[in-house]
Structures are given as C-alpha cells and as structure tokens.
mmCIF file of all heavy atoms in Angstrom:
data_model
loop_
_atom_site.group_PDB
_atom_site.id
_atom_site.type_symbol
_atom_site.label_atom_id
_atom_site.label_comp_id
_atom_site.label_asym_id
_atom_site.label_seq_id
_atom_site.Cartn_x
_atom_site.Cartn_y
_atom_site.Cartn_z
ATOM 1 N N GLY A 1 65.762 186.774 29.471
ATOM 2 C CA GLY A 1 64.839 185.660 29.465
ATOM 3 C C GLY A 1 63.373 186.067 29.491
ATOM 4 O O GLY A 1 63.025 187.231 29.729
ATOM 5 N N LEU A 2 62.507 185.076 29.252
ATOM 6 C CA LEU A 2 61.069 185.312 29.177
ATOM 7 C C LEU A 2 60.509 185.802 30.509
ATOM 8 O O LEU A 2 59.667 186.715 30.546
ATOM 9 C CB LEU A 2 60.357 184.027 28.750
ATOM 10 C CG LEU A 2 58.827 184.072 28.707
ATOM 11 C CD1 LEU A 2 58.326 185.177 27.781
ATOM 12 C CD2 LEU A 2 58.255 182.720 28.296
ATOM 13 N N GLY A 3 60.965 185.231 31.614
ATOM 14 C CA GLY A 3 60.486 185.657 32.920
ATOM 15 C C GLY A 3 60.766 187.124 33.164
ATOM 16 O O GLY A 3 59.912 187.874 33.660
ATOM 17 N N HIS A 4 61.958 187.572 32.799
ATOM 18 C CA HIS A 4 62.317 188.973 32.978
ATOM 19 C C HIS A 4 61.479 189.876 32.072
ATOM 20 O O HIS A 4 61.061 190.964 32.480
ATOM 21 C CB HIS A 4 63.811 189.166 32.688
ATOM 22 C CG HIS A 4 64.290 190.566 32.858
ATOM 23 N ND1 HIS A 4 64.461 191.430 31.803
ATOM 24 C CD2 HIS A 4 64.619 191.272 33.993
ATOM 25 C CE1 HIS A 4 64.887 192.590 32.252
ATOM 26 N NE2 HIS A 4 64.986 192.528 33.569
ATOM 27 N N ALA A 5 61.210 189.415 30.852
ATOM 28 C CA ALA A 5 60.391 190.202 29.930
ATOM 29 C C ALA A 5 58.981 190.411 30.489
ATOM 30 O O ALA A 5 58.437 191.525 30.459
ATOM 31 C CB ALA A 5 60.309 189.510 28.572
ATOM 32 N N VAL A 6 58.406 189.362 31.040
ATOM 33 C CA VAL A 6 57.072 189.481 31.633
ATOM 34 C C VAL A 6 57.111 190.429 32.825
ATOM 35 O O VAL A 6 56.222 191.266 33.005
ATOM 36 C CB VAL A 6 56.550 188.084 32.056
ATOM 37 C CG1 VAL A 6 55.264 188.203 32.865
ATOM 38 C CG2 VAL A 6 56.317 187.218 30.815
ATOM 39 N N TRP A 7 58.151 190.330 33.639
ATOM 40 C CA TRP A 7 58.280 191.206 34.809
ATOM 41 C C TRP A 7 58.353 192.672 34.406
ATOM 42 O O TRP A 7 57.860 193.556 35.107
ATOM 43 C CB TRP A 7 59.534 190.811 35.597
ATOM 44 C CG TRP A 7 59.777 191.634 36.827
ATOM 45 C CD1 TRP A 7 59.120 191.567 38.023
ATOM 46 C CD2 TRP A 7 60.758 192.667 36.967
ATOM 47 N NE1 TRP A 7 59.630 192.476 38.900
ATOM 48 C CE2 TRP A 7 60.633 193.174 38.285
ATOM 49 C CE3 TRP A 7 61.730 193.206 36.125
ATOM 50 C CZ2 TRP A 7 61.460 194.198 38.762
ATOM 51 C CZ3 TRP A 7 62.538 194.235 36.595
ATOM 52 C CH2 TRP A 7 62.408 194.700 37.907
ATOM 53 N N CYS A 8 58.937 192.961 33.260
ATOM 54 C CA CYS A 8 59.050 194.349 32.775
ATOM 55 C C CYS A 8 57.673 194.987 32.538
ATOM 56 O O CYS A 8 57.568 196.220 32.506
ATOM 57 C CB CYS A 8 59.870 194.398 31.484
ATOM 58 S SG CYS A 8 61.631 194.100 31.717
ATOM 59 N N ALA A 9 56.635 194.184 32.396
ATOM 60 C CA ALA A 9 55.293 194.698 32.129
ATOM 61 C C ALA A 9 54.468 194.881 33.401
ATOM 62 O O ALA A 9 53.273 195.205 33.325
ATOM 63 C CB ALA A 9 54.558 193.772 31.173
ATOM 64 N N ARG A 10 55.073 194.706 34.569
ATOM 65 C CA ARG A 10 54.332 194.644 35.827
ATOM 66 C C ARG A 10 53.499 195.897 36.096
ATOM 67 O O ARG A 10 52.340 195.784 36.533
ATOM 68 C CB ARG A 10 55.314 194.399 36.993
ATOM 69 C CG ARG A 10 56.319 195.526 37.186
ATOM 70 C CD ARG A 10 57.518 195.106 38.023
ATOM 71 N NE ARG A 10 58.458 196.199 38.240
ATOM 72 C CZ ARG A 10 59.344 196.622 37.326
ATOM 73 N NH1 ARG A 10 59.390 196.049 36.123
ATOM 74 N NH2 ARG A 10 60.170 197.612 37.594
ATOM 75 N N ASP A 11 54.047 197.070 35.865
ATOM 76 C CA ASP A 11 53.329 198.293 36.196
ATOM 77 C C ASP A 11 52.172 198.560 35.235
ATOM 78 O O ASP A 11 51.176 199.191 35.610
ATOM 79 C CB ASP A 11 54.278 199.500 36.203
ATOM 80 C CG ASP A 11 55.216 199.489 37.397
ATOM 81 O OD1 ASP A 11 54.853 198.859 38.414
ATOM 82 O OD2 ASP A 11 56.295 200.096 37.323
ATOM 83 N N ILE A 12 52.301 198.096 34.006
ATOM 84 C CA ILE A 12 51.224 198.279 33.035
ATOM 85 C C ILE A 12 50.109 197.279 33.280
ATOM 86 O O ILE A 12 48.924 197.608 33.159
ATOM 87 C CB ILE A 12 51.763 198.163 31.607
ATOM 88 C CG1 ILE A 12 52.919 199.132 31.386
ATOM 89 C CG2 ILE A 12 50.647 198.441 30.587
ATOM 90 C CD1 ILE A 12 53.589 198.997 30.041
ATOM 91 N N VAL A 13 50.460 196.057 33.624
ATOM 92 C CA VAL A 13 49.454 195.037 33.903
ATOM 93 C C VAL A 13 48.670 195.389 35.173
ATOM 94 O O VAL A 13 47.441 195.312 35.217
ATOM 95 C CB VAL A 13 50.106 193.646 34.063
ATOM 96 C CG1 VAL A 13 49.078 192.626 34.576
ATOM 97 C CG2 VAL A 13 50.687 193.185 32.726
ATOM 98 N N GLY A 14 49.409 195.771 36.226
ATOM 99 C CA GLY A 14 48.732 196.083 37.479
ATOM 100 C C GLY A 14 48.302 194.836 38.230
ATOM 101 O O GLY A 14 48.818 193.741 38.007
ATOM 102 N N ASN A 15 47.299 194.982 39.060
ATOM 103 C CA ASN A 15 46.875 193.882 39.938
ATOM 104 C C ASN A 15 45.664 193.161 39.365
ATOM 105 O O ASN A 15 44.555 193.187 39.920
ATOM 106 C CB ASN A 15 46.552 194.442 41.325
ATOM 107 C CG ASN A 15 46.323 193.338 42.356
ATOM 108 O OD1 ASN A 15 46.943 192.269 42.271
ATOM 109 N ND2 ASN A 15 45.445 193.578 43.309
ATOM 110 N N GLU A 16 45.844 192.511 38.230
ATOM 111 C CA GLU A 16 44.764 191.743 37.620
ATOM 112 C C GLU A 16 45.351 190.606 36.801
ATOM 113 O O GLU A 16 46.513 190.670 36.372
ATOM 114 C CB GLU A 16 43.895 192.640 36.736
ATOM 115 C CG GLU A 16 44.603 193.320 35.590
ATOM 116 C CD GLU A 16 43.672 194.197 34.780
ATOM 117 O OE1 GLU A 16 42.862 193.651 34.001
ATOM 118 O OE2 GLU A 16 43.747 195.445 34.928
ATOM 119 N N PRO A 17 44.590 189.542 36.572
ATOM 120 C CA PRO A 17 45.108 188.445 35.755
ATOM 121 C C PRO A 17 45.347 188.921 34.328
ATOM 122 O O PRO A 17 44.701 189.863 33.845
ATOM 123 C CB PRO A 17 43.978 187.401 35.819
ATOM 124 C CG PRO A 17 42.752 188.174 36.177
ATOM 125 C CD PRO A 17 43.206 189.306 37.038
ATOM 126 N N PHE A 18 46.289 188.266 33.655
ATOM 127 C CA PHE A 18 46.668 188.700 32.310
ATOM 128 C C PHE A 18 47.142 187.512 31.493
ATOM 129 O O PHE A 18 47.449 186.433 32.033
ATOM 130 C CB PHE A 18 47.787 189.750 32.412
ATOM 131 C CG PHE A 18 49.081 189.218 32.990
ATOM 132 C CD1 PHE A 18 50.151 188.897 32.186
ATOM 133 C CD2 PHE A 18 49.209 189.051 34.378
ATOM 134 C CE1 PHE A 18 51.343 188.426 32.718
ATOM 135 C CE2 PHE A 18 50.398 188.566 34.929
ATOM 136 C CZ PHE A 18 51.460 188.249 34.101
ATOM 137 N N ALA A 19 47.186 187.712 30.202
ATOM 138 C CA ALA A 19 47.665 186.668 29.306
ATOM 139 C C ALA A 19 49.092 186.998 28.856
ATOM 140 O O ALA A 19 49.494 188.165 28.840
ATOM 141 C CB ALA A 19 46.761 186.560 28.080
ATOM 142 N N VAL A 20 49.837 185.970 28.526
ATOM 143 C CA VAL A 20 51.155 186.117 27.895
ATOM 144 C C VAL A 20 51.093 185.357 26.576
ATOM 145 O O VAL A 20 50.693 184.182 26.554
ATOM 146 C CB VAL A 20 52.289 185.570 28.772
ATOM 147 C CG1 VAL A 20 53.629 185.672 28.041
ATOM 148 C CG2 VAL A 20 52.357 186.314 30.103
ATOM 149 N N VAL A 21 51.462 186.021 25.496
ATOM 150 C CA VAL A 21 51.397 185.433 24.159
ATOM 151 C C VAL A 21 52.754 185.560 23.494
ATOM 152 O O VAL A 21 53.247 186.671 23.322
ATOM 153 C CB VAL A 21 50.308 186.116 23.301
ATOM 154 C CG1 VAL A 21 50.205 185.442 21.936
ATOM 155 C CG2 VAL A 21 48.961 186.101 23.998
ATOM 156 N N LEU A 22 53.356 184.440 23.106
ATOM 157 C CA LEU A 22 54.636 184.467 22.409
ATOM 158 C C LEU A 22 54.388 184.613 20.916
ATOM 159 O O LEU A 22 53.773 183.738 20.300
ATOM 160 C CB LEU A 22 55.430 183.195 22.698
ATOM 161 C CG LEU A 22 55.731 182.885 24.172
ATOM 162 C CD1 LEU A 22 56.774 181.788 24.285
ATOM 163 C CD2 LEU A 22 56.182 184.125 24.932
ATOM 164 N N PRO A 23 54.873 185.696 20.312
ATOM 165 C CA PRO A 23 54.521 186.000 18.922
ATOM 166 C C PRO A 23 55.061 185.033 17.885
ATOM 167 O O PRO A 23 54.531 184.976 16.770
ATOM 168 C CB PRO A 23 55.105 187.408 18.713
ATOM 169 C CG PRO A 23 55.231 187.967 20.086
ATOM 170 C CD PRO A 23 55.592 186.798 20.951
ATOM 171 N N ASP A 24 56.137 184.309 18.190
ATOM 172 C CA ASP A 24 56.681 183.412 17.162
ATOM 173 C C ASP A 24 56.040 182.041 17.176
ATOM 174 O O ASP A 24 56.459 181.151 16.436
ATOM 175 C CB ASP A 24 58.200 183.309 17.272
ATOM 176 C CG ASP A 24 58.665 182.883 18.646
ATOM 177 O OD1 ASP A 24 57.816 182.619 19.506
ATOM 178 O OD2 ASP A 24 59.900 182.819 18.875
ATOM 179 N N GLU A 25 55.000 181.857 17.985
ATOM 180 C CA GLU A 25 54.244 180.609 17.981
ATOM 181 C C GLU A 25 52.825 180.888 17.494
ATOM 182 O O GLU A 25 52.071 181.592 18.178
ATOM 183 C CB GLU A 25 54.229 179.969 19.375
ATOM 184 C CG GLU A 25 55.613 179.531 19.848
ATOM 185 C CD GLU A 25 55.545 178.703 21.121
ATOM 186 O OE1 GLU A 25 54.469 178.168 21.438
ATOM 187 O OE2 GLU A 25 56.582 178.589 21.791
ATOM 188 N N LEU A 26 52.479 180.350 16.357
ATOM 189 C CA LEU A 26 51.149 180.530 15.795
ATOM 190 C C LEU A 26 50.374 179.225 15.907
ATOM 191 O O LEU A 26 50.929 178.141 15.730
ATOM 192 C CB LEU A 26 51.220 180.936 14.318
ATOM 193 C CG LEU A 26 51.906 182.262 13.986
ATOM 194 C CD1 LEU A 26 51.733 182.569 12.499
ATOM 195 C CD2 LEU A 26 51.377 183.410 14.831
ATOM 196 N N VAL A 27 49.085 179.347 16.211
ATOM 197 C CA VAL A 27 48.203 178.174 16.274
ATOM 198 C C VAL A 27 47.124 178.358 15.224
ATOM 199 O O VAL A 27 46.365 179.340 15.254
ATOM 200 C CB VAL A 27 47.573 178.009 17.664
ATOM 201 C CG1 VAL A 27 46.583 176.827 17.667
ATOM 202 C CG2 VAL A 27 48.661 177.777 18.710
#
C-alpha cells in the first residue's frame, strides 16, 4: 500500500517536512 511505500522512504527523508507525489496523476 501507499502508506507502506511512504514509510520505506523514512531514512532518506529524515526529520523534515516532505512532499508525496503520485506519478500516475497528472495535473
């Protein structure tokens, strides 16, 4: 799931706010 995918990036993101962008949705 999406929540698990975001959690997998925890160590790279670190302790700062971040964006999540779903690639199959274009605006």
Side-chain angles (χ1 to χ4, degrees):
L2 176 58
H4 181 261
V6 171
W7 180 76
C8 288
R10 63 198 181 281
D11 288 336
I12 305 175
V13 171
N15 189 32
E16 60 181 285
F18 64 102
V20 176
V21 183
L22 303 192
D24 55 3
E25 295 190 19
L26 299 187
V27 176

